[in-house]
């Protein structure tokens, strides 16, 4: 698989409903798509970096310039026998995992198309139906949130996760639990608390949550271990897990009992598989996180979720929860049982709507052999 060129493009897509976390609210997404051109086949990848460096230090502008000046030049002109080899070519660049993942995943996509194999099979997946949950952001009122929970449950979703922060936590969980005592419920703090709030966090135990995601600092493992010893509720780490070594450290120190895998956060499919394997070997269940992806990233999340140790419903949900019109065909649909059926078609099983992408594109740049740094 010779990589002839890499195309970067930014598309803009308004969200159907705003999304708010402990670090802020967004109404529209700026999405960086990467296309790799390899001798007649192309592969598509999505960079999940956000509009601002709030979830992680990466954001769309750092991703764009790192891809343009370093990562694309590191792979263009090279011939690979398998997509995972690209990780080694890009390893000289420190960090910038979301940018790296966009290229590596585009190459996996190309490899699957070239081999005429489903991407999920190439990744080593087994499951044919993946279980879906939803992540519901902070709303303007608790009533608005309860309405959302009600409609997502009616749609069949198997796990409800709500975003929490100081002032929007116990009151919210109390209202949800009193109305739906038996549902699988979890919460995600996106690092909104500190160790000064252990007593407050202990009050979450009464809601019998499946997990509390990333209560403390985004870069911490050690203090989560201290907190986990004081909670009954399982901690799930998201932001803190950058690679398999972090997962191993978190498991060894008992900083969490569940791990959220986001392929962008860990730098691509090959590292995501390693994180998966470390957790599996230690009997720690994982689930697939989401980053408000367009259909490209969403289809990759579906493929990843077919690996065996994805044992809990992920934040992988229907296209229509996010977009009026998604950039893939068919759109991602979720059954009334809260599952997505995994396609047997080669590649992701979803067709890229290039015409629509072209209309949504606000900038585009191609890095080809000899185009220089
Ligand atoms: O922490 O999981 C998170 C969205 C943006 C940044 C961080 C997170 C999220 C979500 C959304 O929870 C999940 C989804 O794609 O629906
Ligand atoms: Mg999270």
């Amino acid at each position: 698989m010779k990589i002839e060129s890499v195309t970067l493009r930014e598309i803009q897509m308004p969200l159907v409903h705003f999304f708010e976390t402990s670090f802020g609210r967004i109404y529209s997404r700026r999405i960086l798509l990467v296309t790799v051109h390899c001798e007649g086949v192309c592969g598509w990848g999505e960079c999940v970096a956000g509009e601002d460096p709030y979830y992680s230090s990466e954001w769309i502008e750092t991703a764009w310039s790192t891809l343009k000046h370093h990562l694309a030049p590191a792979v263009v002109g090279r011939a690979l026998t398998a997509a995972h080899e690209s990780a080694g070519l890009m390893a000289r660049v420190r960090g910038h995992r979301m940018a790296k993942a966009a290229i590596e995943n585009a190459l996996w996509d190309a490899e699957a198309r070239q081999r005429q194999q489903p991407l999920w099979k190439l990744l080593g997946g087994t499951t044919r139906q993946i279980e879906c949950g939803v992540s519901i952001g902070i709303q303007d009122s608790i009533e608005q949130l309860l309405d959302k929970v009600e409609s997502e449950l009616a749609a069949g979703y198997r796990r409800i996760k709500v975003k929490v922060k100081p002032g929007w936590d116990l009151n919210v969980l109390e209202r949800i639990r009193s109305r739906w005592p038996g549902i699988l419920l979890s919460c995600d703090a996106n690092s909104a608390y500190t160790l000064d709030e252990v007593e407050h966090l202990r009050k979450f135990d009464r809601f019998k949550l499946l997990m509390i995601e990333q209560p403390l600092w985004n870069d911490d493992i050690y203090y989560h271990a201290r907190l986990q010893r004081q909670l009954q509720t399982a901690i799930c780490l998201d932001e803190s897990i950058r690679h398999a070594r972090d997962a191993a450290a978190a498991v060894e120190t008992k900083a969490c009992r569940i791990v959220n895998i986001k392929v962008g956060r860990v730098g691509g499919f090959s590292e995501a598989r390693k994180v998966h394997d470390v957790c599996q070997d230690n009997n720690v269940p994982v689930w697939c996180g989401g980053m408000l992806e367009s259909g490209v990233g969403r289809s990759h999340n579906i493929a990843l979720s077919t690996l065996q140790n994805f044992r809990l419903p992920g934040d992988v949900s229907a296209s229509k929860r996010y977009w009026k019109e998604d950039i893939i065909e068919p759109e991602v649909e979720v059954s009334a049982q809260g599952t997505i059926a995994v396609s047997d078609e080669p590649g992701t099983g979803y067709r890229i709507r290039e015409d629509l992408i072209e209309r949504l594109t606000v900038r585009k740049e191609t890095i080809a052999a000899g185009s220089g740094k």
Side-chain angles (χ1 to χ4, degrees), residues 107-307:
L107 288 165
W108 279 89
D109 194 62
E111 184 181 344
R113 289 174 201 239
Q114 191 190 49
R115 293 184 194 277
Q116 287 287 299
Q117 246 194 56
L119 176 60
W120 64 268
K121 247 186 206 166
L122 194 62
L123 288 168
T126 49
T127 324
R128 304 306 319 286
Q129 296 264 357
I130 69 159
E131 287 197 287
C132 309
V134 286
S135 171
I136 307 180
I138 294 165
Q139 307 296 320
D140 289 327
S141 67
I142 297 188
E143 284 65 37
Q144 193 179 15
L145 177 73
L146 295 174
D147 285 348
K148 288 218 164 284
V149 173
E150 183 173 31
S151 61
E152 304 296 12
L153 289 171
Y157 286 103
R158 296 190 176 194
R159 185 226 60 208
I160 301 290
K161 153 176 144 183
V162 292
K163 294 290 185 179
V164 291
K165 65 176 183 181
W168 180 273
D169 49 13
L170 299 174
N171 47 347
V172 170
L173 295 169
E174 177 68 49
R175 292 285 296 278
I176 299 176
R177 257 306 174 234
S178 58
R179 191 151 154 204
W180 294 283
I183 60 167
L184 273 189
L185 179 65
S186 65
C187 70
D188 186 356
N190 289 111
S191 306
Y193 301 94
T194 70
L195 275 185
D196 294 338
E197 290 152 302
V198 174
E199 280 316 307
H200 178 72
L201 290 167
R202 279 162 63 95
K203 296 184 183 143
F204 286 48
D205 282 342
R206 74 170 88 115
F207 302 114
K208 305 288 174 227
L209 303 176
L210 179 60
M211 69 191 95
I212 172 168
E213 192 177 335
Q214 201 71 35
L216 306 176
W217 305 276
N218 70 290
D219 58 355
D220 170 75
I221 292 174
Y222 181 85
Y223 291 105
H224 279 94
R226 188 181 284 184
L227 175 63
Q228 181 68 93
R229 288 197 292 275
Q230 297 173 271
L231 299 181
Q232 283 166 15
T233 309
I235 290 176
C236 169
L237 291 178
D238 172 354
E239 285 89 326
S240 303
I241 307 297
R242 301 161 299 175
H243 38 57
R245 195 162 35 77
D246 277 339
V251 167
E252 188 178 317
T253 56
K254 299 189 162 58
C256 62
R257 297 190 201 127
I258 298 174
V259 169
N260 165 331
I261 299 184
K262 289 180 181 165
V263 62
R265 193 193 66 225
V266 302
F269 281 131
S270 46
E271 194 66 25
R273 290 203 301 192
K274 288 182 193 158
V275 173
H276 167 274
D277 293 351
V278 163
C279 294
Q280 185 166 39
D281 292 346
N282 289 281
N283 202 25
V284 169
V286 304
W287 55 279
C288 185
M291 291 290 283
L292 311 175
E293 288 92 346
S294 78
V296 171
R298 195 166 298 281
S299 67
H300 289 183
N301 289 343
I302 293 169
L304 183 67
S305 303
T306 65
L307 270 66

Side-chain angles (χ1 to χ4, degrees), residues 41-115:
V41 282
C42 27
W44 289 78
E46 175 168 343
C47 178
V48 299
E51 291 68 34
D52 301 289
Y54 299 163
Y55 166 83
S56 75
S57 61
E58 281 190 273
W59 63 297
I60 181 163
E61 296 293 343
T62 63
W64 188 285
S65 56
T66 307
L67 280 159
K68 174 180 170 176
H69 295 292
H70 295 283
L71 302 174
V75 299
V76 163
R78 306 296 294 252
L80 308 179
T81 48
H84 69 84
E85 294 165 10
S86 64
L89 299 176
M90 298 187 284
R92 183 148 70 119
V93 173
R94 298 239 166 110
H96 298 281
R97 293 179 185 82
M98 294 175 178
K100 288 175 177 170
I103 289 202
E104 193 196 310
N105 296 353
L107 288 165
W108 279 89
D109 194 62
E111 184 181 344
R113 289 174 201 239
Q114 191 190 49
R115 293 184 194 277

